[in-house]
Amino acid sequence: MRLFRSRRWLWLVASAAAGVLALLLAGVIISRQPAFQRAVAQRLAAAFGSGVTFESVGFSLIPHPSVQIRGIALPPLPNDPDEAGGSAEALVVGLRMGQLLKGDLEVRSVQLEGPRIHVERSADGRIIISELLLKILEAKGDSGDSAGSATLPMLRVQGGRLDWIDRGVAGEPIELHLHPLHGYLDADGRYEISARGKAGGKGTAKGSLVSSQGSHRLTLEVEFERLAARLALPYLLGGQAVRDVSGVVSVRTKLSGTLGKTLSGTVGVEIPTGSFGWLNLTMHGPASIGAKLDVTGSSVAISESQLSADTVDVSIPGLKAPLRAEQLTAEFDYRGDRVDFRSLQFQTYGGAVSGRGGVSLAGDLLFDANLKVEHLDLHALVAALADPDTHLDLEQLEGELQLTGPWPRNDAARRALKGSGHIRLSGGTMTSMSVMKAVWHGFVEKVPGLAAIHDPDKREKPPRIDHAAQSFRIGRGRIVTDDLSVVTSAFSLTGAGYLDFAGTLDYQTQVVFTSEGIQEMVSLSALHLPSSEQPKLEPVPLHISGSVREPDVRADLSHVSLAGLSLLLLSCEGVAHLPRHLLDGLRSAAEAHPDKLHWW
């Protein structure tokens, strides 16, 4: 009895093995039949075009009927003979057994192994896609046809490669190579794709594409980590030029909408560090952007944007170091080729800057700005940006500025700037511009014999600055003012003139001395006024020229009477020790101009 049972089980096992072997042999035999290969070739030609070729074809019944087609290649693109229409290592097509027994090939699943797909945007904006991808999408769109058609109810991709070349951006073409590419596209239009990029970043994309009544509803989530900035920024900026860019960015995007219309969603960008040469701008430390995103064709619009950055350096020709902004925040919109800043705030050199403005990213980078500066530390600013031998008397700056023109990358661009504003400077001492010494030298040259009591080596005590203020206008490379005002402990100076962007000065002013200032000026000689005296002098014209670094201050005394000065000197301590001829000259000048006695 046991022997009978053992033989029975052995027979069952042998029968099963023989059945499996028969199925395998049947698959091999079927796959080698010319009729079968012709049928496969016809189906491939119907799906991918008559130019498609393949290296081999196989057929298997286990675990379910499938056809394996290896070494698929499509002919070159008609408009680019050097670029293949696409290729794949293998195409595995799962078939339905019931339909197969009826002599029909109904597809149940498709797996594309090692596809290589080429997508390109031409200089005129046309999208050129590998025939392989086009045919797959066309077949996917036919999934509602009757049974027996070459439909793709489920498409899986393994180990693929996507080559993207964009010639539609300014400068050199941008290339992005994604490999390996994995994903799926099911019968309901849901898909998920993951890939790694050659650019040093890695990314994923997922979403769905649903067709209904002739429209295609897309939802998309894309995330890239540490993607090369030169690859990401042209798309965030709608194809605008991004010359001389280095660094990396991380991008998170969610979009939804109808293909061919507007896709709306959000975008988040993180920039650990980067250099953007076309703006003369470098970021140190993290920066982040969060915004609403609308995409219509190749047009990108960004709104409700929030920007924050740790430290940003802006290089300006003529300065030894970049201008630094810290704790920068901004709200901005981007549309077309223009960025509009609704608000902008940052800290710099002990002060704060706030304002609004905009910049066009095309051509000469035309911009407009309305800025307010508060409590800027001028000593820190000069120490950081100017040459070591540059000295600035003033301590603090406040003001407002309206400016328009091209981004000031060179001399020609700076000369094209236009604007207006007002500033107020305060604190410090006036050491670089020796107003008192210039006036005293004028008196020495005009009064005969006064040089005998002049001490050329004696330095004036720099007066303390209360404030300096002016409104101004900018144009043709100059900052022009009509209401310059400088108030110090020694004098008040008013006037008009200009300062050009090369640092050249030309001002016509007049100075009114305080009693303290007159005493300081007379002390440049060997004389001293009694501290109880309250001397006065009428306004003295001054011409200020030269440069910011070495100003040339000259007093114009051609219309100034000597009577007041003569009386002033005669009241000084030690005047009796002056040479007799000098005393006689002073007395004569004072008596000759009694109408000028109000100076005293």
Side-chain angles (χ1 to χ4, degrees):
M1 193 67 173
R2 290 181 179 176
L3 179 60
F4 175 75
R5 290 178 179 174
S6 299
R7 287 178 177 176
R8 184 180 177 182
W9 281 108
L10 183 60
W11 172 254
L12 291 174
V13 172
S15 298
V20 172
L21 181 60
L23 290 174
L24 293 174
L25 290 174
V28 173
I29 293 171
I30 292 173
S31 65
R32 294 188 177 183
Q33 293 299 313
F36 177 78
Q37 297 210 7
R38 283 195 300 272
V40 170
Q42 291 171 359
R43 290 303 177 95
L44 282 175
F48 298 110
S50 59
V52 66
T53 63
F54 57 91
E55 295 176 358
S56 65
V57 62
F59 181 78
S60 174
L61 292 173
I62 296 179
H64 52 72
S66 63
V67 179
Q68 303 92 32
I69 308 163
R70 302 194 177 279
I72 299 174
L74 274 70
L77 299 175
N79 51 359
D80 191 353
D82 296 329
E83 183 60 50
S87 63
E89 295 175 4
L91 180 66
V92 180
V93 182
L95 303 174
R96 298 190 183 278
M97 177 65 79
Q99 295 299 117
L100 184 63
L101 294 176
K102 297 177 182 179
D104 197 1
L105 300 179
E106 182 180 346
V107 177
R108 64 185 300 272
S109 65
V110 176
Q111 179 163 305
L112 196 59
E113 298 177 357
R116 180 160 184 171
I117 300 170
H118 177 88
V119 182
E120 178 177 324
R121 184 168 72 153
S122 64
D124 59 6
R126 291 181 300 109
I127 301 297
I128 303 169
I129 303 177
S130 289
E131 289 293 309
L132 177 63
L133 181 58
L134 286 174
K135 295 301 182 181
I136 291 174
L137 294 177
E138 289 173 4
K140 192 76 190 83
D142 293 336
S143 60
D145 291 353
S146 60
S149 64
T151 61
L152 303 180
M154 170 64 81
L155 169 65
R156 295 186 180 276
V157 176
Q158 292 290 327
R161 176 186 175 99
L162 175 65
D163 298 321
W164 164 256
I165 299 179
D166 195 342
R167 306 182 191 278
V169 295
E172 294 295 321
I174 292 175
E175 297 186 14
L176 177 62
H177 307 285
L178 298 178
H179 176 77
L181 185 69
H182 305 294
Y184 71 82
L185 178 62
D186 68 14
D188 296 323
R190 291 186 296 268
Y191 67 90
E192 184 167 344
I193 302 170
S194 64
R196 292 185 65 87
K198 179 183 176 182
K202 61 179 181 179
T204 60
K206 62 181 180 179
S208 63
L209 179 62
V210 179
S211 299
S212 176
Q213 298 179 347
S215 63
H216 304 277
R217 180 74 180 178
L218 172 71
T219 61
L220 174 68
E221 293 185 27
V222 177
E223 182 171 348
F224 270 105
E225 297 179 11
R226 300 189 64 79
L227 181 65
R230 64 181 179 84
L231 298 176
L233 289 181
Y235 303 104
L236 294 176
L237 301 178
Q240 296 302 320
V242 285
R243 301 180 297 275
D244 303 327
V245 173
S246 64
V248 296
V249 299
S250 296
V251 182
R252 300 179 307 278
T253 301
K254 293 183 178 181
L255 287 173
S256 63
T258 301
L259 287 180
K261 297 183 180 179
T262 298
L263 302 176
S264 300
T266 60
V267 61
V269 181
E270 294 182 1
I271 308 174
T273 183
S275 175
F276 311 97
W278 94 108
L279 290 175
N280 294 354
L281 185 150
T282 302
M283 286 186 172
H284 305 280
S288 62
I289 301 172
K292 287 184 62 177
L293 184 66
D294 293 295
V295 180
T296 305
S298 61
S299 175
V300 177
I302 299 175
S303 59
E304 300 182 18
S305 308
Q306 302 284 335
L307 165 67
S308 64
D310 185 32
T311 304
V312 177
D313 286 344
V314 180
S315 298
I316 300 177
L319 300 183
K320 74 171 186 178
L323 182 68
R324 171 156 291 186
E326 299 176 312
Q327 302 177 34
L328 184 148
T329 62
E331 297 179 355
F332 68 94
D333 298 322
Y334 171 80
R335 186 176 298 276
D337 61 358
R338 180 176 171 83
V339 180
D340 287 300
F341 290 91
R342 301 190 306 277
S343 68
L344 174 69
Q345 300 91 30
F346 59 88
Q347 305 294 316
T348 183
Y349 304 105
V353 177
S354 60
R356 55 187 175 82
V359 58
S360 172
L361 300 180
D364 292 331
L365 296 174
L366 298 176
F367 79 98
D368 58 87
N370 291 269
L371 300 176
K372 182 178 181 180
V373 181
E374 299 178 283
H375 311 302
L376 187 67
D377 186 338
L378 289 174
H379 288 168
L381 181 71
V382 170
L385 303 182
D387 293 331
D389 57 347
T390 299
H391 180 79
L392 188 70
D393 308 309
L394 300 160
E395 293 179 350
Q396 194 172 92
L397 179 148
E398 296 182 347
E400 295 187 6
L401 169 67
Q402 296 83 44
L403 195 62
T404 63
W407 192 259
R409 294 178 295 185
N410 50 48
D411 290 340
R414 288 195 293 275
R415 287 186 60 83
L417 292 174
K418 296 181 179 180
S420 62
H422 63 85
I423 59 171
R424 178 184 175 89
L425 305 102
S426 58
T429 55
M430 204 160 195
T431 58
S432 65
M433 200 157 49
S434 301
V435 172
M436 287 185 291
K437 198 168 188 177
V439 174
W440 178 252
H441 282 177
F443 285 139
V444 169
E445 292 175 356
K446 191 166 185 177
V447 178
L450 195 58
I453 61 172
H454 173 57
D455 184 355
D457 297 324
K458 195 168 186 179
R459 294 181 177 273
E460 67 181 271
K461 178 182 177 182
R464 179 72 182 176
I465 296 174
D466 178 72
H467 71 270
Q470 67 174 22
S471 57
F472 58 86
R473 58 189 181 275
I474 299 174
R476 298 182 179 180
R478 291 180 174 181
I479 303 172
V480 182
T481 182
D482 297 321
D483 60 355
L484 173 66
S485 172
V486 180
V487 178
T488 75
S489 57
F491 58 82
S492 295
L493 182 147
T494 58
Y498 72 83
L499 164 67
D500 68 20
F501 291 162
T504 302
L505 301 164
D506 194 342
Y507 289 91
Q508 296 292 342
T509 68
Q510 67 174 14
V511 59
V512 177
F513 286 96
T514 64
S515 297
E516 178 184 342
I518 295 173
Q519 290 178 335
E520 288 291 335
M521 182 173 63
V522 172
S523 69
L524 294 174
S525 69
L527 302 175
H528 296 281
L529 284 169
S531 58
S532 59
E533 297 289 343
Q534 297 293 319
K536 296 180 180 179
L537 286 174
E538 71 175 20
V540 177
L542 290 179
H543 180 215
I544 304 172
S545 59
S547 67
V548 173
R549 186 177 299 175
E550 296 180 356
D552 181 22
V553 184
R554 296 184 181 273
D556 179 7
L557 302 177
S558 59
H559 301 290
V560 175
S561 170
L562 298 180
L565 177 63
S566 298
L567 289 170
L568 194 65
L569 295 177
L570 288 172
S571 65
C572 289
E573 296 176 354
V575 70
H577 301 291
L578 294 179
R580 187 171 186 82
H581 72 278
L582 177 57
L583 283 172
D584 290 343
L586 293 174
R587 291 190 183 101
S588 176
E591 293 170 358
H593 300 282
D595 59 316
K596 298 295 183 180
L597 293 181
H598 65 275
W599 285 20
W600 172 233

